Amino acid sequence: MSNKTLNGTNKNASNARKGSRGPRPIQTVAQLRENLLRDALAREIRKIDRKIAVNTRKRSAAQARVNDANATLDNLARIRAEFLAESNLAPKA
């Protein structure tokens, strides 16, 4: 007797696939609780990571503004000192 079927597939090959199909096994309450808790914690961690990323970007932007303001103040102080020195209004020590 042949192993070939009418549609050209091999009986052994088609029988081998049947074990991998079917419903998932029913989870116990403890497994279900653990999986749900893990998923919820993963979602919360993603939210926290997103907030950290946003605030890190905001902090770096604010730091850049502070650095620019410091550079501007330094330039203004240097220009003021030059003007005072040239106008002879600088206090003499």
Side-chain angles (χ1 to χ4, degrees):
M1 193 165 154
S2 172
N3 276 339
K4 295 235 178 203
T5 61
L6 292 176
N7 62 7
T9 60
N10 188 324
K11 282 182 185 176
N12 294 334
S14 62
N15 287 340
R17 291 190 329 150
K18 288 183 182 174
S20 63
R21 290 189 297 219
R24 293 178 50 200
I26 297 174
Q27 294 181 339
T28 64
V29 173
Q31 289 173 330
L32 188 59
R33 184 179 295 129
E34 182 181 339
N35 289 341
L36 291 174
L37 181 62
R38 187 182 320 113
D39 292 346
L41 289 173
R43 277 195 303 275
E44 291 302 316
I45 289 172
R46 279 195 300 273
K47 285 182 194 175
I48 292 169
D49 287 345
R50 202 169 324 141
K51 287 184 179 186
I52 288 173
V54 166
N55 285 310
T56 301
R57 282 196 301 271
K58 285 182 181 179
R59 181 174 62 184
S60 65
Q63 189 62 44
R65 286 193 300 273
V66 167
N67 291 341
D68 289 345
N70 286 339
T72 301
L73 287 173
D74 291 343
N75 288 339
L76 289 173
R78 191 173 59 252
I79 291 170
R80 181 179 183 275
E82 286 177 15
F83 283 167
L84 281 175
E86 288 182 12
S87 64
N88 293 326
L89 293 175
K92 296 183 173 56

XYZ file of all heavy atoms in Angstrom:
719
model
N 0.835 -1.175 0.000
C 0.000 0.000 0.000
C 0.886 1.246 0.000
O 1.878 1.313 0.718
C -0.877 -0.013 1.239
C -1.982 0.977 1.181
S -3.146 0.549 2.460
C -3.847 2.112 2.725
N 0.492 2.224 -0.775
C 1.298 3.422 -0.970
C 1.039 4.438 0.150
O -0.037 4.488 0.738
C 0.950 4.030 -2.324
O 1.566 5.262 -2.460
N 2.042 5.260 0.408
C 1.893 6.345 1.381
C 1.342 7.611 0.742
O 1.074 8.577 1.429
C 3.246 6.675 2.017
C 3.558 5.749 3.178
O 2.651 5.146 3.739
N 4.825 5.629 3.502
N 1.181 7.632 -0.565
C 0.701 8.822 -1.260
C -0.817 8.930 -1.132
O -1.521 7.936 -1.122
C 1.071 8.765 -2.733
C 2.553 8.807 -2.970
C 2.869 9.919 -3.880
C 4.381 9.939 -4.051
N 4.859 11.188 -4.443
N -1.299 10.191 -1.014
C -2.744 10.442 -0.978
C -3.190 10.946 -2.334
O -2.363 11.152 -3.226
C -3.079 11.481 0.110
O -2.410 12.681 -0.211
C -2.686 10.997 1.495
N -4.464 11.196 -2.482
C -5.013 11.625 -3.773
C -4.502 13.009 -4.173
O -4.353 13.298 -5.351
C -6.535 11.633 -3.723
C -7.189 10.254 -3.605
C -8.677 10.393 -3.463
C -6.825 9.397 -4.803
N -4.261 13.892 -3.186
C -3.820 15.241 -3.554
C -2.307 15.349 -3.675
O -1.764 16.427 -3.799
C -4.364 16.281 -2.563
C -3.864 16.065 -1.164
O -3.011 15.219 -0.929
N -4.410 16.821 -0.216
N -1.595 14.270 -3.607
C -0.167 14.275 -3.848
C 0.679 14.455 -2.607
O 1.896 14.490 -2.698
N 0.074 14.570 -1.424
C 0.885 14.719 -0.215
C 1.174 13.356 0.374
O 0.513 12.366 0.065
C 0.160 15.576 0.840
O -1.055 14.933 1.181
C -0.104 16.974 0.331
N 2.127 13.307 1.218
C 2.530 12.078 1.862
C 1.752 11.935 3.166
O 1.622 12.893 3.926
C 4.037 12.174 2.129
C 4.615 10.880 2.618
O 3.962 10.153 3.354
N 5.846 10.622 2.211
N 1.203 10.761 3.452
C 0.416 10.566 4.671
C 1.242 10.853 5.912
O 0.761 11.442 6.869
C -0.104 9.129 4.746
C -1.281 8.847 3.871
C -1.729 7.426 4.081
C -2.850 7.074 3.123
N -3.248 5.691 3.241
N 2.494 10.435 5.884
C 3.332 10.656 7.056
C 3.545 12.148 7.305
O 3.532 12.602 8.436
C 4.681 9.971 6.887
C 4.526 8.457 6.844
O 3.561 7.916 7.386
N 5.463 7.790 6.183
N 3.731 12.915 6.248
C 3.959 14.347 6.397
C 2.712 15.035 6.921
O 2.783 15.888 7.791
C 4.376 14.949 5.067
N 1.538 14.661 6.407
C 0.322 15.329 6.863
C -0.020 14.920 8.283
O -0.557 15.698 9.050
C -0.848 15.041 5.920
O -1.105 13.657 5.913
N 0.330 13.693 8.668
C 0.068 13.279 10.041
C 1.016 13.959 11.023
O 0.660 14.199 12.167
C 0.207 11.750 10.177
C -0.952 11.037 9.533
O -2.003 11.626 9.326
N -0.757 9.774 9.191
N 2.212 14.266 10.562
C 3.197 14.853 11.456
C 2.794 16.259 11.882
O 3.148 16.699 12.955
C 4.548 14.888 10.781
N 2.028 16.975 11.067
C 1.670 18.352 11.388
C 0.566 18.436 12.420
O 0.405 19.442 13.060
C 1.220 19.080 10.128
C 2.344 19.320 9.174
C 1.971 20.233 8.047
N 0.578 20.149 7.661
C -0.117 21.147 7.164
N 0.447 22.302 6.989
N -1.382 21.020 6.819
N -0.233 17.395 12.575
C -1.413 17.496 13.421
C -1.075 17.760 14.882
O -1.851 18.383 15.585
C -2.260 16.225 13.297
C -2.961 16.137 11.977
C -3.832 14.947 11.890
C -4.486 14.882 10.520
N -5.226 13.678 10.323
N 0.071 17.314 15.350
C 0.413 17.511 16.745
C 0.697 18.963 17.096
O 0.516 19.378 18.231
N 1.120 19.774 16.121
C 1.481 21.153 16.410
C 0.270 22.073 16.398
O 0.373 23.214 16.818
C 2.525 21.640 15.410
O 1.967 21.626 14.114
N -0.849 21.626 15.895
C -2.040 22.464 15.859
C -2.890 22.191 17.084
O -2.693 21.216 17.797
C -2.839 22.176 14.597
C -2.157 22.673 13.347
C -3.049 22.559 12.167
N -3.378 21.144 11.895
C -3.463 20.613 10.714
N -3.247 21.361 9.672
N -3.772 19.353 10.551
N -3.855 23.057 17.308
C -4.776 22.828 18.406
C -4.781 23.984 19.380
O -3.990 24.919 19.267
N -5.680 23.919 20.347
C -5.786 25.030 21.294
C -4.583 25.078 22.228
O -3.938 24.068 22.471
C -7.059 24.709 22.067
C -7.198 23.231 21.965
C -6.645 22.865 20.622
N -4.332 26.269 22.722
C -3.252 26.415 23.697
C -3.674 25.760 24.999
O -4.866 25.723 25.322
C -2.966 27.895 23.924
C -2.382 28.560 22.687
C -2.139 30.021 22.882
N -1.410 30.280 24.102
C -1.389 31.450 24.724
N -2.069 32.457 24.239
N -0.700 31.621 25.824
N -2.738 25.274 25.756
C -3.110 24.657 27.030
C -3.715 25.687 27.980
O -3.349 26.863 27.940
C -1.791 24.118 27.574
C -0.733 24.841 26.832
C -1.314 25.212 25.508
N -4.638 25.257 28.790
C -5.293 26.154 29.740
C -4.287 26.501 30.841
O -3.649 25.626 31.419
C -6.543 25.488 30.339
C -7.558 25.228 29.216
C -7.140 26.345 31.432
C -8.754 24.442 29.670
N -4.165 27.793 31.114
C -3.214 28.240 32.126
C -3.843 28.115 33.509
O -5.056 28.294 33.666
C -2.832 29.701 31.889
C -2.060 29.930 30.622
C -1.682 31.388 30.462
O -2.282 32.261 31.061
N -0.674 31.642 29.640
N -3.002 27.853 34.468
C -3.489 27.871 35.845
C -3.678 29.319 36.257
O -3.184 30.245 35.599
C -2.489 27.194 36.795
O -1.288 27.962 36.803
C -2.193 25.767 36.367
N -4.373 29.533 37.351
C -4.614 30.891 37.833
C -3.289 31.568 38.156
O -3.084 32.746 37.846
C -5.541 30.859 39.075
C -5.672 32.236 39.682
C -6.907 30.316 38.693
N -2.376 30.825 38.755
C -1.080 31.407 39.104
C -0.312 31.818 37.848
O 0.296 32.905 37.799
C -0.252 30.423 39.919
N -0.332 30.967 36.811
C 0.364 31.316 35.565
C -0.264 32.538 34.918
O 0.429 33.438 34.440
C 0.310 30.142 34.594
C 1.171 28.963 34.970
C 0.915 27.778 34.051
O -0.197 27.614 33.534
N 1.940 26.955 33.861
N -1.593 32.563 34.899
C -2.300 33.684 34.289
C -2.001 34.979 35.047
O -1.719 36.014 34.439
C -3.802 33.401 34.288
C -4.679 34.376 33.536
C -4.277 34.432 32.079
C -6.134 33.963 33.655
N -2.029 34.913 36.371
C -1.741 36.089 37.190
C -0.306 36.565 36.937
O -0.056 37.759 36.788
C -1.934 35.751 38.668
C -1.752 36.941 39.585
C -1.970 36.584 41.051
N -3.354 36.198 41.277
C -3.740 35.065 41.903
N -2.823 34.223 42.345
N -5.001 34.781 42.063
N 0.623 35.624 36.858
C 2.022 35.986 36.625
C 2.198 36.637 35.262
O 2.891 37.649 35.133
C 2.895 34.731 36.729
C 4.375 35.005 36.555
C 5.208 33.736 36.629
O 4.729 32.733 37.189
O 6.327 33.752 36.109
N 1.551 36.075 34.241
C 1.670 36.649 32.892
C 1.039 38.034 32.822
O 1.596 38.952 32.212
C 1.032 35.723 31.867
C 1.845 34.467 31.648
O 3.026 34.430 31.966
N 1.219 33.425 31.135
N -0.127 38.203 33.435
C -0.780 39.510 33.424
C 0.052 40.532 34.186
O 0.201 41.678 33.750
C -2.182 39.409 34.027
C -3.206 38.642 33.197
C -4.502 38.487 33.966
C -3.459 39.355 31.884
N 0.600 40.122 35.314
C 1.432 41.029 36.100
C 2.682 41.423 35.323
O 3.065 42.603 35.286
C 1.818 40.366 37.422
C 2.676 41.185 38.374
C 1.936 42.449 38.800
C 3.041 40.362 39.588
N 3.308 40.458 34.664
C 4.507 40.744 33.877
C 4.175 41.721 32.754
O 4.920 42.676 32.500
C 5.072 39.454 33.298
C 6.408 39.679 32.617
C 7.018 38.439 31.972
N 6.867 37.229 32.719
C 6.116 36.183 32.326
N 5.467 36.233 31.178
N 6.032 35.095 33.051
N 3.042 41.507 32.073
C 2.652 42.412 30.989
C 2.374 43.818 31.519
O 2.776 44.810 30.909
C 1.423 41.872 30.264
C 1.716 40.603 29.487
O 2.915 40.295 29.286
O 0.754 39.914 29.099
N 1.678 43.897 32.655
C 1.371 45.211 33.232
C 2.650 45.923 33.652
O 2.808 47.130 33.419
C 0.429 45.049 34.421
N 3.568 45.199 34.258
C 4.832 45.809 34.668
C 5.644 46.266 33.457
O 6.267 47.336 33.484
C 5.644 44.828 35.509
C 5.089 44.551 36.910
C 5.885 43.442 37.576
C 5.097 45.795 37.752
N 5.632 45.480 32.401
C 6.356 45.863 31.186
C 5.774 47.150 30.593
O 6.522 48.027 30.146
C 6.308 44.737 30.160
N 4.436 47.269 30.607
C 3.803 48.500 30.109
C 4.217 49.700 30.957
O 4.532 50.772 30.432
C 2.285 48.366 30.113
C 1.737 47.663 28.884
C 0.231 47.864 28.755
N -0.496 47.421 29.928
C -0.898 46.174 30.170
N -0.655 45.233 29.283
N -1.550 45.869 31.257
N 4.208 49.530 32.275
C 4.593 50.634 33.163
C 6.052 51.015 32.954
O 6.393 52.198 32.959
C 4.344 50.247 34.625
C 2.873 50.142 34.976
C 2.105 51.428 34.727
O 2.603 52.515 35.082
O 1.011 51.349 34.154
N 6.910 50.035 32.754
C 8.326 50.325 32.517
C 8.491 51.102 31.219
O 9.284 52.041 31.144
C 9.147 49.017 32.507
C 9.233 48.456 33.932
C 10.531 49.233 31.932
C 9.842 47.084 34.018
N 7.728 50.733 30.184
C 7.798 51.483 28.918
C 7.347 52.926 29.118
O 7.946 53.855 28.563
C 6.960 50.800 27.842
C 7.661 49.627 27.180
C 6.978 49.208 25.899
N 5.604 48.798 26.085
C 5.194 47.566 26.392
N 6.082 46.608 26.544
N 3.921 47.281 26.543
N 6.294 53.138 29.911
C 5.833 54.503 30.190
C 6.924 55.300 30.901
O 7.190 56.460 30.565
C 4.581 54.476 31.075
C 3.316 54.075 30.381
C 2.170 54.160 31.379
C 0.931 53.476 30.895
N -0.122 53.472 31.929
N 7.544 54.689 31.896
C 8.600 55.366 32.649
C 9.778 55.678 31.740
O 10.332 56.789 31.782
C 9.031 54.511 33.857
C 7.900 54.449 34.886
C 10.300 55.059 34.493
C 8.119 53.431 35.977
N 10.152 54.735 30.886
C 11.263 54.966 29.951
C 10.955 56.139 29.023
O 11.833 56.950 28.720
C 11.547 53.713 29.127
C 12.227 52.621 29.936
O 12.727 52.927 31.042
O 12.249 51.468 29.472
N 9.699 56.208 28.566
C 9.305 57.309 27.686
C 9.427 58.643 28.413
O 9.924 59.626 27.873
C 7.874 57.086 27.205
C 7.533 57.824 25.933
C 6.209 57.355 25.352
N 6.067 55.929 25.565
C 4.937 55.285 25.887
N 3.829 55.917 25.970
N 4.903 53.997 26.092
N 8.961 58.688 29.671
C 9.050 59.934 30.435
C 10.504 60.319 30.685
O 10.865 61.497 30.631
C 8.306 59.796 31.763
C 6.810 59.792 31.597
C 6.098 59.756 32.924
C 4.597 59.769 32.695
N 3.858 59.873 33.953
N 11.343 59.335 30.965
C 12.768 59.613 31.168
C 13.366 60.209 29.903
O 14.120 61.185 29.950
C 13.514 58.333 31.594
C 13.146 57.969 33.027
C 15.019 58.501 31.453
C 13.701 56.630 33.477
N 13.027 59.637 28.747
C 13.573 60.134 27.480
C 13.124 61.571 27.218
O 13.936 62.424 26.823
C 13.151 59.219 26.333
N 11.831 61.846 27.447
C 11.312 63.195 27.207
C 12.001 64.197 28.124
O 12.453 65.266 27.694
C 9.777 63.214 27.412
C 9.256 64.640 27.503
C 9.086 62.477 26.290
N 12.089 63.850 29.410
C 12.701 64.781 30.358
C 14.197 64.941 30.132
O 14.745 66.022 30.377
C 12.405 64.340 31.796
C 10.970 64.647 32.175
O 10.504 65.755 31.977
N 10.267 63.663 32.691
N 14.851 63.910 29.657
C 16.274 64.030 29.322
C 16.460 65.003 28.164
O 17.379 65.842 28.182
C 16.856 62.653 28.973
O 16.677 61.783 30.090
C 18.325 62.740 28.631
N 15.574 64.897 27.155
C 15.651 65.846 26.030
C 15.394 67.268 26.510
O 16.078 68.212 26.104
C 14.655 65.462 24.942
C 15.102 64.315 24.073
C 14.291 64.214 22.802
N 12.871 64.025 23.044
C 12.271 62.860 23.193
N 12.967 61.748 23.124
N 10.970 62.784 23.401
N 14.391 67.439 27.396
C 14.092 68.774 27.915
C 15.275 69.321 28.705
O 15.616 70.502 28.607
C 12.854 68.727 28.821
C 11.557 68.589 28.079
C 10.391 68.597 29.053
C 9.072 68.427 28.358
N 7.963 68.409 29.317
N 15.906 68.454 29.516
C 17.034 68.903 30.319
C 18.200 69.325 29.437
O 18.850 70.341 29.691
C 17.476 67.810 31.289
C 18.628 68.248 32.169
C 18.979 67.250 33.218
N 19.422 66.002 32.617
C 19.723 64.919 33.314
N 19.615 64.911 34.607
N 20.115 63.824 32.703
N 18.473 68.546 28.377
C 19.591 68.909 27.502
C 19.301 70.217 26.762
O 20.208 71.033 26.568
C 19.902 67.783 26.525
O 18.832 67.584 25.643
N 18.031 70.429 26.385
C 17.678 71.688 25.731
C 17.830 72.847 26.708
O 18.350 73.920 26.353
C 16.253 71.626 25.191
N 17.395 72.653 27.966
C 17.531 73.704 28.966
C 19.001 73.977 29.266
O 19.400 75.136 29.441
C 16.795 73.306 30.246
N 19.803 72.919 29.316
C 21.237 73.103 29.568
C 21.883 73.893 28.441
O 22.743 74.744 28.679
C 21.922 71.735 29.727
C 23.340 71.817 30.207
C 23.443 72.438 31.591
O 22.678 72.119 32.483
N 24.382 73.346 31.762
N 21.451 73.641 27.213
C 21.987 74.397 26.076
C 21.614 75.877 26.202
O 22.449 76.757 25.927
C 21.458 73.814 24.765
N 20.378 76.150 26.640
C 19.972 77.546 26.821
C 20.795 78.215 27.931
O 21.188 79.376 27.816
C 18.481 77.638 27.138
C 17.596 77.373 25.929
C 16.159 77.775 26.179
N 15.549 77.066 27.280
C 14.934 75.894 27.207
N 14.841 75.284 26.040
N 14.398 75.328 28.268
N 21.040 77.480 29.018
C 21.855 78.022 30.112
C 23.268 78.312 29.614
O 23.840 79.370 29.917
C 21.871 77.039 31.314
C 22.936 77.420 32.314
C 20.513 76.997 31.976
N 23.834 77.387 28.855
C 25.189 77.601 28.324
C 25.228 78.818 27.411
O 26.184 79.613 27.454
C 25.673 76.358 27.582
C 25.936 75.200 28.524
O 26.103 75.389 29.720
N 25.965 73.995 27.979
N 24.188 78.987 26.570
C 24.131 80.160 25.694
C 24.027 81.446 26.506
O 24.671 82.457 26.189
C 22.943 80.057 24.728
C 23.144 78.993 23.675
O 24.293 78.529 23.505
O 22.147 78.618 23.013
N 23.208 81.428 27.557
C 23.060 82.618 28.398
C 24.372 82.950 29.092
O 24.761 84.128 29.194
C 21.946 82.396 29.420
N 25.082 81.937 29.571
C 26.380 82.175 30.221
C 27.383 82.771 29.234
O 28.138 83.693 29.574
C 26.931 80.881 30.812
C 26.204 80.477 32.072
O 25.577 81.299 32.729
N 26.288 79.204 32.422
N 27.397 82.261 28.011
C 28.308 82.793 27.000
C 27.964 84.250 26.690
O 28.862 85.104 26.557
C 28.240 81.945 25.735
N 26.666 84.560 26.603
C 26.245 85.932 26.337
C 26.669 86.858 27.468
O 27.179 87.968 27.230
C 24.714 85.990 26.151
O 24.355 85.136 25.070
C 24.243 87.392 25.858
N 26.477 86.411 28.717
C 26.887 87.230 29.859
C 28.397 87.464 29.862
O 28.860 88.585 30.155
C 26.451 86.561 31.167
C 24.957 86.607 31.469
C 24.645 85.765 32.693
C 24.498 88.043 31.677
N 29.161 86.435 29.549
C 30.618 86.587 29.491
C 31.024 87.598 28.416
O 31.896 88.451 28.647
C 31.292 85.240 29.222
C 31.172 84.280 30.393
O 30.870 84.740 31.513
O 31.369 83.065 30.176
N 30.374 87.495 27.252
C 30.691 88.440 26.167
C 30.332 89.864 26.560
O 31.106 90.809 26.307
C 29.949 88.057 24.887
C 30.515 86.820 24.237
O 31.664 86.461 24.490
N 29.714 86.157 23.421
N 29.164 90.048 27.183
C 28.754 91.395 27.605
C 29.702 91.960 28.657
O 30.050 93.158 28.623
C 27.317 91.365 28.142
C 26.228 91.136 27.087
C 24.876 90.961 27.760
C 26.189 92.297 26.106
N 30.137 91.124 29.586
C 31.069 91.587 30.619
C 32.398 92.001 30.001
O 32.989 93.027 30.396
C 31.280 90.495 31.655
N 32.858 91.241 29.014
C 34.125 91.575 28.353
C 33.992 92.889 27.567
O 34.865 93.758 27.626
C 34.548 90.424 27.430
C 35.965 90.581 26.925
C 36.466 89.361 26.154
N 35.635 89.054 24.993
C 34.804 87.996 24.909
N 34.718 87.144 25.906
N 34.083 87.794 23.839
N 32.870 93.041 26.854
C 32.647 94.273 26.084
C 32.547 95.465 27.024
O 33.110 96.546 26.773
C 31.376 94.131 25.214
C 31.619 93.112 24.108
C 30.960 95.470 24.641
C 30.366 92.728 23.348
N 31.858 95.306 28.157
C 31.714 96.387 29.134
C 33.081 96.796 29.677
O 33.383 97.989 29.824
C 30.801 95.944 30.273
C 30.560 96.989 31.325
C 29.619 96.455 32.403
N 29.318 97.465 33.379
C 30.077 97.746 34.448
N 31.191 97.068 34.650
N 29.719 98.687 35.291
N 33.894 95.796 29.982
C 35.236 96.095 30.507
C 36.069 96.860 29.471
O 36.804 97.802 29.821
C 35.930 94.805 30.909
N 35.943 96.466 28.191
C 36.683 97.171 27.138
C 36.223 98.629 27.029
O 37.038 99.550 26.914
C 36.489 96.471 25.794
C 37.248 95.160 25.655
C 36.963 94.463 24.328
O 36.410 95.119 23.414
O 37.297 93.276 24.216
N 34.885 98.843 27.072
C 34.367 100.208 26.976
C 34.822 101.056 28.167
O 35.194 102.215 28.019
C 32.848 100.197 26.887
C 32.302 99.823 25.542
C 30.976 99.506 25.380
C 33.113 99.785 24.418
C 30.460 99.149 24.138
C 32.620 99.435 23.170
C 31.273 99.124 23.040
N 34.783 100.461 29.365
C 35.214 101.204 30.552
C 36.694 101.570 30.440
O 37.100 102.694 30.784
C 34.981 100.386 31.810
C 33.544 100.356 32.325
C 33.426 99.399 33.506
C 33.069 101.730 32.727
N 37.496 100.620 29.946
C 38.930 100.888 29.825
C 39.208 101.984 28.795
O 40.069 102.855 29.012
C 39.662 99.608 29.445
N 38.459 101.985 27.697
C 38.701 102.983 26.649
C 38.163 104.339 27.027
O 38.648 105.364 26.544
C 38.072 102.520 25.328
C 38.812 101.364 24.680
C 38.222 100.956 23.360
O 37.383 101.691 22.822
O 38.611 99.881 22.856
N 37.142 104.404 27.863
C 36.541 105.708 28.192
C 37.142 106.312 29.457
O 36.696 107.354 29.901
C 35.045 105.543 28.372
O 34.781 104.686 29.483
N 38.113 105.648 30.032
C 38.774 106.106 31.244
C 37.805 106.233 32.422
O 38.001 107.043 33.315
C 39.502 107.448 31.041
C 40.658 107.280 30.090
O 41.302 106.235 30.060
N 40.929 108.314 29.302
N 36.712 105.450 32.380
C 35.762 105.458 33.491
C 35.999 104.293 34.444
O 35.332 104.167 35.457
C 34.321 105.360 32.964
C 33.823 106.573 32.160
C 32.437 106.290 31.606
C 33.792 107.799 33.043
N 36.964 103.458 34.106
C 37.237 102.288 34.947
C 37.789 102.759 36.279
O 38.584 103.710 36.328
C 38.222 101.368 34.269
N 37.364 102.123 37.363
C 37.908 102.539 38.670
C 39.391 102.242 38.747
O 39.851 101.192 38.275
C 37.100 101.671 39.662
C 36.566 100.543 38.866
C 36.414 101.030 37.459
N 40.115 103.172 39.292
C 41.565 102.996 39.374
C 41.902 102.396 40.735
O 41.438 102.839 41.762
C 42.249 104.328 39.195
C 41.985 104.885 37.808
C 42.719 106.176 37.562
C 42.586 106.628 36.160
N 41.260 106.804 35.642
N 42.779 101.402 40.702
C 43.113 100.726 41.951
C 44.225 101.414 42.677
O 44.995 102.161 42.181
C 43.526 99.296 41.648
